C-alpha cells in the first residue's frame, strides 16, 4: 500500500520569487525609520541640523550641504545595502523585519500572505529566504581583499565548485549531479533571523508568559517574556561535520540539524562502493563548520504566576550573533520558534515517548537596559534639561522616589544619591576605591521600609530584591553546581553577583544568620567575592550597592534602651554603611493627621496627592532612570579648595567626637572614622553628578554632611528619653540644632584664622546656611527669629558682619548646660 501524499498548501517557488523581489526592491528612507522609532513623530531635518548656521561664512559649503540634503532624504534599498555589507564582511547577520515584509505585501496586494506563512512555519522559511539571499548575494567591493584569510579561500573554492556542478547538471540534464554539491551551510557566512511584528491597532501583539505557550504554537514565531535565571557558557556547536576517507580520499560532509547525531564511520562515496573498499572516515575539524551556541533558562515573572503556583521555566537556544546578549537577571522579550525535542540519555529512558520543548531565539529585546546602553528619548532629554536649569531638580527627584509613601524626605534624598553613586577610582598600582554607596534603614514596623526597597529594585537597571530569612550565604554569593549541558562543575552566581553594577536590596537584614551575614563584609568594601570550594578557586566581581532594611532587636525601637542595645548588628558591618537612618513611628497629632490624609488619598484616587512641587511635577520611574543614566556619565573631581574644606571639617568632627567621649555622651554609632570621610566624598560626588557637573562644590559637601549628620541624629534622638527630662520647647530644640552644627563644623563662614583661636573666641557660621538648616528641620521662620532673639539676649551667640554671620560663643555653652542641669 502506497503512503498517503498531500500536496503542499502553497507554491514555494512562487514564494521564493516573491522573497527575491522583496529583498531587491524594498525601499525605505532614513526619515521614515526615525519617524517610526519615535512613535510617528515627524521631525524635519532642518530643525535639528547645525550645518546651516547663519555664522557659517563659507557659501560653497552651504551649497554643498543643500545638495546633499535631498540625497539623504531619498529612499534607499534597505536589504540590498544589507547584502552588500554582508558580502564585504561588515556584518554577519541578516535581520528580516516582518513589518517591512507586511508593508511590502500590502503595497503589492498579490494575496500571497507571506507574513502569515512565515509566522506559522518559521523554520522552513529560514531556509527559503536563505536561498534567496544566496542567489542575490552581490560580489564584494573592489577595495576588499580576502586572499589572506584561509577560510575565504575555502569559501571561494566551494562556491566555484558548486557553480561548476550546476552548469554540468544543466548541460547533461542530470539533476543527480547536484547531490555532489557542498551543503549550503558551508557556503553561508551569516545568520538569518526574523524580527517579529510590532503591535498595532489592527494586529495587537502581546508577549506571552511561559505557561501561556500551548501546542498550537509549535513551529510558530512567538514572543515570550521572562527573567533569565541561568546562562550557559558560549560553546561551539557543529553545523556541518566533515570527514576524509583513507581509501579514496573523498571529503564527506554531514549536515547536523539536531542536538545529537551519529558520526559516519564508512565512506559512502561511489569509488568505495564500486571497489567495495569500505574506507574508514576520519573527522576533519578544519573543513567542518561550527556555530556559536548558548543555552538560556528563562522563568516567569512574579506577576505572571497564578495564585498557589510556582514559576515555570523554558529553555532558549541562542545561535550565532544572538549569543552573549542575555545576562542572568535580565528581563527580556524573546522572539523565536517554539519547537519540540526528544529527551536524550537517561532522561529518555524515564520519559518514554514524552518530548521536551524549547525556543530557538530570533530576536531579543532588553527591558531594563544598563545605564550606559540606555537611549534617552529627545522629548525626555528636553524635559530633563528644563528642570536641571530651574535648580529644583534635586527636590523634585527626591520627592519622585516612591511618591505614594508619605514623608521621609531625607531618606529619599539619600536613596536618590544611592542610585546615582560616586565615582569608582582605580589607582595606578591596581588598588580600587569603590564609588558605590551602601545604606541601611532601621526602624519600627509599618514605616514603609520594604516598599522603598521594592521601588529602588525596580528603578535600578540591575536591581535584585531578596529577603534575609530566605537567603543563605551561597545564595547571596555563589554556589557550585553541575552544568546540565556539559556535566562540568561550574559556579552559579547568587544575588550579589546578579546585582553586579546595580543595587542589591536585602530586606529583613536582622533576621539573617551571622554566618550568612559575614559573606557580605567583603562585598561591601572590596566589592569582590572570593570562592575556594570544589577545586574552584576564583574571585567574582560584585560591584554593587547594598541597600539593607532591618527591624530593631525587640521588634519596635525601645526608647529606654540605648541605640547599641536596640540595633543588634556587629560594628564591623555597620561601619561599612555610608548612611544609616533610624525611622521611628512616634505618635504626633500633626504628622498623624497628614499621614492619614495621604494614605486615604492614595486609596481613593490610586495615585499620590500633590507633593508641593511647582505645577505638581513628579517624575515617572522611567524618567528617574533616564536622569540617573545621564548623571552617571559625569566623573566629578574635588578641587583643592573644597578638599581643604573637607579636611578641616573631618578634623573638626574628630575633635567633637573626642570631646563627646570625654563627657561619656558618645555611642558606638556616632564614631567618625575614615570611612565616614569616604562616605561624605561619595555623597558629594553623587550630588555633583545630579547637577551634571564635573566639579564638586562646597555646597555639595555641605549637603552631604547634612545627610550624614541627619542619619546620626536619627540614631541618637531618642536616647535622651531615658533621663526623664521634660519635653524641650521649639527654641531649645533650635538651640540644640545650632550647637550641633557648631560642634560638627557645618555651615561655617568662609573666614581665615587658626582653629584654636576660633574655639576660644567662638565659632563663626553663615547665618543664611544655619537658617536653611533650621527651616529644613520643620521649624517655622517665626520660631527661628524668636530663638535667635532669645539666645542673643542671653549672650549665647551674636550676629556679626551686618547680619550675615552667627558667632556661637563657646563660653556660653557651659552656661547653657548649667542652666539645663538646674
Amino acid at each position: 500500500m502506497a503512503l498517503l501524499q498531500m500536496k503542499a498548501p502553497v507554491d514555494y517557488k512562487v514564494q521564493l520569487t516573491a522573497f527575491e523581489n522583496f529583498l531587491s526592491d524594498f525601499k525605505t528612507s532614513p526619515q521614515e525609520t526615525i519617524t517610526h522609532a519615535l512613535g510617528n513623530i515627524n521631525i524635519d531635518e532642518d530643525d535639528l541640523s547645525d550645518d546651516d548656521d547663519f555664522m557659517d561664512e563659507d557659501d560653497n559649503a552651504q551649497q554643498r550641504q543643500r545638495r546633499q540634503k535631498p540625497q539623504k532624504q531619498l529612499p534607499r534599498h534597505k536589504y540590498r545595502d544589507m547584502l552588500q555589507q554582508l558580502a564585504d564582511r561588515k556584518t554577519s547577520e541578516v535581520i528580516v523585519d516582518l513589518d517591512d515584509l507586511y508593508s511590502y505585501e500590502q503595497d503589492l496586494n498579490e494575496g500571497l500572505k507571506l507574513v502569515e506563512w512565515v509566522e506559522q512555519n518559521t523554520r522552513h522559511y529560514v531556509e527559503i529566504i536563505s536561498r534567496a539571499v544566496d542567489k542575490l548575494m552581490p560580489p564584494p567591493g573592489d577595495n576588499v581583499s580576502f586572499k589572506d584569510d584561509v577560510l575565504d579561500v575555502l569559501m571561494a573554492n566551494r562556491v566555484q565548485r558548486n557553480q561548476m556542478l550546476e552548469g554540468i547538471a544543466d548541460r547533461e540534464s542530470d539533476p543527480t549531479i547536484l547531490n555532489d554539491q557542498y551543503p549550503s551551510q558551508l557556503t553561508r557566512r551569516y545568520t538569518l533571523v526574523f524580527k517579529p511584528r510590532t503591535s498595532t491597532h489592527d494586529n495587537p501583539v502581546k508577549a506571552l508568559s511561559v505557561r501561556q505557550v500551548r501546542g498550537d504554537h509549535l513551529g510558530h514565531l512567538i514572543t515570550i517574556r521572562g527573567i533569565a535565571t541561568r546562562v550557559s557558557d558560549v560553546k561551539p556547536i557543529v553545523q556541518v561535520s566533515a570527514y576524509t576517507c583513507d581509501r579514496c580520499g573523498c571529503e564527506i560532509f554531514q549536515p547536523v540539524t539536531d542536538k545529537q547525531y551519529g558520526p559516519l564511520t564508512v565512506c559512502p562515496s561511489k569509488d568505495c562502493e564500486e571497489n567495495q573498499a569500505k574506507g574508514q572516515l576520519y573527522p576533519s575539524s578544519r573543513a567542518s563548520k561550527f556555530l556559536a551556541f548558548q543555552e538560556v533558562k528563562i522563568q516567569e515573572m512574579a506577576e505572571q504566576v497564578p495564585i498557589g503556583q510556582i514559576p515555570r521555566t523554558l529553555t532558549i537556544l541562542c545561535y550565532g550573533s544572538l549569543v552573549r546578549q542575555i545576562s542572568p537577571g535580565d528581563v527580556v522579550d524573546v522572539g523565536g520558534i517554539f519547537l519540540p525535542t526528544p529527551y536524550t540519555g537517561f532522561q529518555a529512558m524515564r520519559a518514554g515517548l514524552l518530548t521536551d520543548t524549547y525556543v530557538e531565539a530570533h530576536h531579543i529585546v532588553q527591558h531594563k537596559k544598563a545605564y550606559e546602553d540606555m537611549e534617552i528619548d529627545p522629548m525626555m532629554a528636553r524635559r530633563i534639561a528644563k528642570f536641571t536649569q530651574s535648580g529644583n531638580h534635586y527636590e523634585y527627584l527626591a520627592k519622585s522616589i516612591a511618591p505614594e509613601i508619605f514623608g521621609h524626605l531625607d531618606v529619599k534624598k539619600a536613596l536618590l544619591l544611592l542610585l546615582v553613586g560616586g565615582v569608582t577610582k582605580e589607582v595606578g598600582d591596581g588598588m580600587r576605591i569603590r564609588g558605590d554607596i551602601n545604606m541601611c534603614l532601621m526602624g519600627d514596623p509599618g514605616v514603609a521600609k520594604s516598599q522603598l526597597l521594592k521601588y529602588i529594585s525596580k528603578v535600578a537597571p540591575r536591581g535584585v530584591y531578596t529577603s534575609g530569612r530566605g537567603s543563605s550565604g551561597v545564595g547571596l554569593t555563589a554556589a557550585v553546581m553541575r552544568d546540565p549541558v556539559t556535566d562540568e562543575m561550574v559556579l552559579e552566581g547568587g544575588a550579589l553577583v546578579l546585582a553586579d553594577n546595580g543595587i542589591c536590596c536585602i530586606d529583613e537584614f536582622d533576621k539573617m544568620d551571622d554566618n550568612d551575614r559575614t559573606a557580605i563584609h567583603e562585598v561591601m568594601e572590596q566589592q569582590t567575592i572570593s570562592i575556594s570550594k570544589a577545586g574552584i578557586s576564583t574571585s567574582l566581581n560584585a560591584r554593587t550597592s547594598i541597600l539593607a532594611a532591618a527591624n530593631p532587636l525587640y521588634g519596635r525601637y525601645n526608647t529606654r534602651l540605648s541605640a547599641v542595645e536596640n540595633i543588634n548588628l556587629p560594628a564591623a558591618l555597620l561601619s561599612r554603611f555610608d548612611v544609616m537612618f533610624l525611622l521611628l513611628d512616634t505618635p504626633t497629632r500633626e504628622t498623624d493627621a497628614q499621614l492619614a490624609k495621604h494614605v486615604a488619598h492614595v486609596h481613593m484616587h490610586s495615585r499620590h496627592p500633590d507633593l508641593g512641587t511647582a505645577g505638581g511635577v513628579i517624575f515617572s520611574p522611567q524618567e528617574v532612570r533616564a536622569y540617573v543614566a545621564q548623571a552617571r556619565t559625569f566623573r566629578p573631581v574635588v578641587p583643592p579648595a573644597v578638599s581643604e574644606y573637607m579636611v578641616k571639617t573631618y578634623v573638626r568632627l574628630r575633635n567633637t567626637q573626642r570631646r563627646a567621649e570625654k563627657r561619656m555622651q558618645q555611642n558606638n554609632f556616632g564614631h567618625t572614622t575614615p570611612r565616614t570621610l569616604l562616605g561624605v566624598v561619595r555623597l558629594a560626588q553623587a550630588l555633583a553628578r545630579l547637577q551634571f557637573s564635573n566639579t564638586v562644590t562646597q555646597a555639595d559637601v555641605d549637603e552631604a554632611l547634612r545627610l550624614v549628620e541627619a542619619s546620626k541624629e536619627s540614631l541618637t534622638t531618642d536616647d535622651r528619653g531615658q533621663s526623664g527630662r521634660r519635653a524641650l520647647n521649639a527654641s531649645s530644640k533650635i538651640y540644640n540644632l545650632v550647637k550641633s552644627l557648631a560642634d560638627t563644623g557645618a555651615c561655617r563662614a568662609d573666614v581665615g584664622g587658626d582653629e584654636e583661636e576660633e574655639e576660644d573666641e567662638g565659632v563663626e557660621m553663615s547665618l543664611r546656611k544655619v537658617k536653611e538648616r533650621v527651616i529644613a528641620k520643620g521649624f517655622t521662620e517665626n520660631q527661628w527669629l524668636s530663638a535667635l532673639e532669645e539666645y542673643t539676649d542671653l549672650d549665647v551667640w551674636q550676629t556679626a558682619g551686618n547680619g550675615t554671620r552667627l558667632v556661637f560663643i563657646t563660653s556660653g555653652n557651659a552656661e547653657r548646660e548649667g542652666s539645663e542641669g538646674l
Side-chain angles (χ1 to χ4, degrees):
M1 179 179 177
L3 294 174
L4 293 177
Q5 295 182 356
M6 188 183 74
K7 187 179 179 181
V10 293
D11 189 349
Y12 290 121
K13 291 184 179 179
V14 175
Q15 289 189 344
L16 178 61
T17 306
F19 283 126
E20 291 174 1
N21 296 334
F22 164 71
L23 293 175
S24 58
D25 298 339
F26 181 77
K27 293 181 180 181
T28 183
S29 63
Q31 187 174 357
E32 292 176 3
T33 307
I34 295 173
T35 303
H36 176 69
L38 294 180
N40 298 325
I41 301 173
N42 194 3
I43 300 175
D44 191 5
E45 195 174 348
D46 295 335
D47 299 335
L48 301 178
S49 177
D50 295 331
D51 296 335
D52 290 341
D53 195 357
F54 67 92
M55 298 293 292
D56 193 354
E57 299 177 358
D58 191 356
D59 295 335
N60 296 329
Q62 292 183 358
Q63 294 176 2
R64 185 170 61 253
Q65 290 162 0
R66 291 193 186 96
R67 287 196 302 268
Q68 289 176 355
K69 279 184 181 177
Q71 297 178 1
K72 292 180 182 178
Q73 295 177 354
L74 288 176
R76 64 183 183 89
H77 291 86
K78 176 179 177 181
Y79 294 97
R80 192 187 296 177
D81 296 344
M82 185 186 296
L83 294 181
Q84 186 62 52
Q85 290 182 352
L86 197 66
D88 295 340
R89 303 293 189 267
K90 295 181 180 178
T91 181
S92 61
E93 185 181 35
V94 177
I95 303 176
V96 179
D97 195 340
L98 293 186
D99 286 332
D100 297 341
L101 184 59
Y102 181 77
S103 62
Y104 176 79
E105 197 176 3
Q106 292 295 319
D107 294 340
L108 290 182
N109 198 16
E110 294 181 352
L112 293 178
K113 299 182 179 179
L114 295 177
V115 176
E116 294 182 14
W117 285 109
V118 168
E119 290 178 339
Q120 293 176 9
N121 193 8
T122 311
R123 193 160 197 182
H124 185 66
Y125 281 93
V126 170
E127 178 61 27
I128 292 177
I129 300 182
S130 296
R131 294 177 195 166
V133 171
D134 293 340
K135 187 174 181 180
L136 298 174
M137 184 72 69
D142 297 334
N143 57 345
V144 181
S145 176
F146 303 115
K147 294 182 180 179
D148 297 334
D149 193 349
V150 177
L151 182 58
D152 285 305
V153 176
L154 289 173
M155 296 281 287
N157 292 338
R158 290 168 179 172
V159 172
Q160 185 178 1
R161 185 174 182 274
N162 282 355
Q163 293 175 351
M164 181 185 68
L165 291 176
E166 287 177 1
I168 295 174
D170 290 340
R171 287 196 303 270
E172 299 183 2
S173 300
D174 186 5
T176 57
I177 298 177
L178 296 178
N179 295 332
D180 295 335
Q181 282 186 323
Y182 286 101
S184 58
Q185 291 90 338
L186 282 179
T187 58
R188 293 174 186 161
R189 295 191 64 176
Y190 60 87
T191 306
L192 192 142
V193 294
F194 290 107
K195 182 181 178 182
R197 280 196 283 177
T198 55
S199 182
T200 59
H201 181 71
D202 299 332
N203 180 39
V205 179
K206 185 180 179 181
L208 304 173
S209 65
V210 176
R211 66 180 64 236
Q212 289 175 340
V213 181
R214 298 284 185 263
D216 298 339
H217 297 116
L218 281 174
H220 291 202
L221 185 69
I222 62 174
T223 303
I224 302 174
R225 178 172 298 173
I227 181 169
T229 56
R230 179 182 297 172
V231 178
S232 70
D233 294 337
V234 178
K235 303 275 187 181
I237 188 170
V238 64
Q239 196 176 18
V240 178
S241 182
Y243 306 92
T244 305
C245 179
D246 63 344
R247 295 293 178 90
C248 63
C250 288
E251 274 189 321
I252 309 298
F253 296 96
Q254 179 188 14
V256 179
T257 56
D258 296 329
K259 292 178 67 175
Q260 291 196 348
Y261 73 102
L264 299 177
T265 56
V266 179
C267 179
S269 65
K270 286 184 179 180
D271 294 340
C272 287
E273 286 182 0
E274 291 174 358
N275 299 329
Q276 296 183 354
K278 294 184 179 181
Q280 188 175 359
L281 295 179
Y282 291 93
S284 174
S285 60
R286 285 178 64 87
S288 302
K289 183 179 180 182
F290 296 89
L291 204 60
F293 167 77
Q294 192 175 34
E295 183 177 296
V296 179
K297 293 278 189 181
I298 67 167
Q299 182 179 287
E300 283 181 306
M301 305 288 293
E303 58 269 16
Q304 296 174 342
V305 182
I307 298 173
Q309 302 288 329
I310 62 173
R312 294 186 182 177
T313 59
L314 186 65
T315 303
I316 309 291
L317 302 185
C318 302
Y319 296 95
S321 57
L322 291 172
V323 300
R324 297 188 180 92
Q325 290 196 18
I326 301 179
S327 301
D330 289 349
V331 179
V332 292
D333 279 357
V334 180
I337 316 171
F338 184 57
L339 295 169
T341 178
Y343 285 101
T344 57
F346 290 106
Q347 291 182 339
M349 298 172 61
R350 292 199 304 266
L353 299 177
L354 297 178
T355 59
D356 195 7
T357 54
Y358 69 96
V359 171
E360 185 180 310
H362 272 238
H363 186 68
I364 297 171
V365 177
Q366 293 273 2
H367 272 274
K368 293 169 67 175
K369 293 184 178 180
Y371 288 126
E372 58 270 13
D373 298 334
M374 287 184 62
E375 298 177 0
I376 300 177
D377 187 76
M379 295 179 63
M380 191 180 295
R382 287 195 292 270
R383 178 177 164 90
I384 289 172
K386 172 186 173 184
F387 287 104
T388 305
Q389 294 170 359
S390 69
N392 298 325
H393 56 284
Y394 179 44
E395 298 285 338
Y396 291 169
L397 284 167
K399 291 181 179 179
S400 301
I401 289 182
E404 292 80 13
I405 296 173
F406 174 74
H408 303 320
L409 185 58
D410 280 344
V411 178
K412 291 181 179 180
K413 287 181 178 179
L415 289 173
L416 175 64
L417 300 182
L418 177 84
L419 284 171
V420 176
V423 180
T424 301
K425 301 181 182 65
E426 190 161 345
V427 194
D429 58 355
M431 180 179 165
R432 195 167 174 275
I433 303 174
R434 70 176 170 95
D436 298 308
I437 299 170
N438 299 324
M439 183 174 170
C440 181
L441 302 178
M442 299 282 300
D444 295 335
V447 291
K449 300 187 298 296
S450 299
Q451 291 289 351
L452 288 171
L453 264 66
K454 282 281 188 183
Y455 182 88
I456 294 298
S457 66
K458 289 181 180 178
V459 170
R462 294 186 66 84
V464 177
Y465 180 87
T466 181
S467 179
R469 180 54 69 185
S471 302
S472 62
V474 294
L476 286 172
T477 54
V480 177
M481 298 188 65
R482 191 174 295 278
D483 190 357
V485 179
T486 60
D487 206 32
E488 297 175 353
M489 298 299 291
V490 294
L491 281 175
E492 183 166 345
L496 295 171
V497 180
L498 293 181
D500 189 25
N501 286 328
I503 297 175
C504 183
C505 303
I506 306 175
D507 204 359
E508 307 294 343
F509 195 56
D510 56 308
K511 310 294 190 304
M512 292 180 64
D513 293 332
D514 292 338
N515 295 332
D516 299 333
R517 205 185 289 129
T518 52
I520 308 176
H521 285 219
E522 182 187 0
V523 176
M524 293 183 68
E525 204 58 48
Q526 278 73 39
Q527 295 197 311
T528 57
I529 295 173
S530 300
I531 299 292
S532 294
K533 56 179 72 172
I536 300 174
S537 180
T538 184
S539 182
L540 304 177
N541 283 326
R543 297 157 293 189
T544 175
S545 296
I546 303 291
L547 175 58
N551 290 327
L553 179 60
Y554 303 103
R556 292 183 64 87
Y557 193 89
N558 189 351
T559 56
R560 292 182 176 84
L561 301 177
S562 65
V564 183
E565 296 170 310
N566 274 288
I567 302 172
N568 188 27
L569 291 176
L573 184 63
L574 292 174
S575 67
R576 285 172 162 81
F577 287 107
D578 299 304
V579 185
M580 280 190 60
F581 276 100
L582 181 61
L583 309 176
L584 298 182
D585 184 16
T586 53
T588 54
R589 183 176 180 81
E590 294 181 2
T591 309
D592 292 345
Q594 293 175 359
L595 174 62
K597 289 179 183 177
H598 188 102
V599 172
H601 188 279
V602 170
H603 278 271
M604 282 191 297
H605 304 283
S606 296
R607 66 179 304 275
H608 57 82
D610 186 15
L611 300 180
T613 56
V617 177
I618 291 297
F619 293 103
S620 65
Q622 291 78 15
E623 290 174 328
V624 173
R625 192 182 304 142
Y627 196 101
V628 171
Q630 191 166 346
R632 288 174 71 96
T633 58
F634 293 87
R635 293 184 62 85
V637 296
V638 182
V642 178
S643 176
E644 185 179 352
Y645 175 71
M646 292 176 65
V647 169
K648 288 183 177 180
T649 305
Y650 175 69
V651 172
R652 204 168 286 120
L653 287 171
R654 296 279 287 185
N655 199 13
T656 305
Q657 174 197 333
R658 178 175 55 82
R659 291 200 302 266
E661 286 177 349
K662 287 182 179 179
R663 296 197 299 264
M664 302 298 292
Q665 293 180 357
Q666 184 75 18
N667 61 25
N668 288 349
F669 301 102
H671 277 302
T672 303
T673 63
R675 282 177 176 162
T676 308
L677 177 60
L678 290 173
V680 171
V681 172
R682 294 184 196 104
L683 292 171
Q685 287 176 338
L687 283 160
R689 277 180 159 183
L690 277 179
Q691 311 288 342
F692 294 163
S693 171
N694 282 318
T695 306
V696 178
T697 62
Q698 186 171 334
D700 297 333
V701 178
D702 285 339
E703 175 62 17
L705 286 169
R706 189 192 71 79
L707 284 175
V708 173
E709 173 195 333
S711 67
K712 288 185 177 181
E713 283 183 0
S714 68
L715 292 168
T716 57
T717 45
D718 285 82
D719 289 345
R720 304 170 190 152
Q722 57 188 346
S723 60
R725 294 178 183 172
R726 59 180 174 85
L728 300 177
N729 57 15
S731 297
S732 299
K733 291 180 180 178
I734 292 175
Y735 166 79
N736 290 328
L737 175 59
V738 177
K739 180 178 182 298
S740 65
L741 293 176
D743 290 341
T744 56
C747 303
R748 293 180 64 85
D750 298 330
V751 294
D754 192 15
E755 294 183 15
E756 300 287 340
E757 297 177 0
E758 287 182 5
E759 288 187 3
D760 295 338
E761 299 174 1
V763 181
E764 289 196 10
M765 295 183 289
S766 170
L767 190 63
R768 177 184 58 83
K769 293 180 181 178
V770 173
K771 180 182 176 182
E772 289 176 356
R773 292 287 184 93
V774 172
I775 299 298
K777 286 294 183 181
F779 298 102
T780 63
E781 190 167 357
N782 291 333
Q783 290 173 337
W784 157 246
L785 292 175
S786 63
L788 181 65
E789 183 180 357
E790 177 183 350
Y791 286 101
T792 303
D793 295 340
L794 291 175
D795 207 21
V796 174
W797 58 52
Q798 297 293 334
T799 56
N802 296 327
T804 60
R805 296 198 301 273
L806 182 71
V807 182
F808 192 94
I809 302 173
T810 53
S811 59
N813 295 347
E815 297 175 10
R816 175 63 187 171
E817 290 175 3
S819 63
E820 284 198 357
L822 297 174

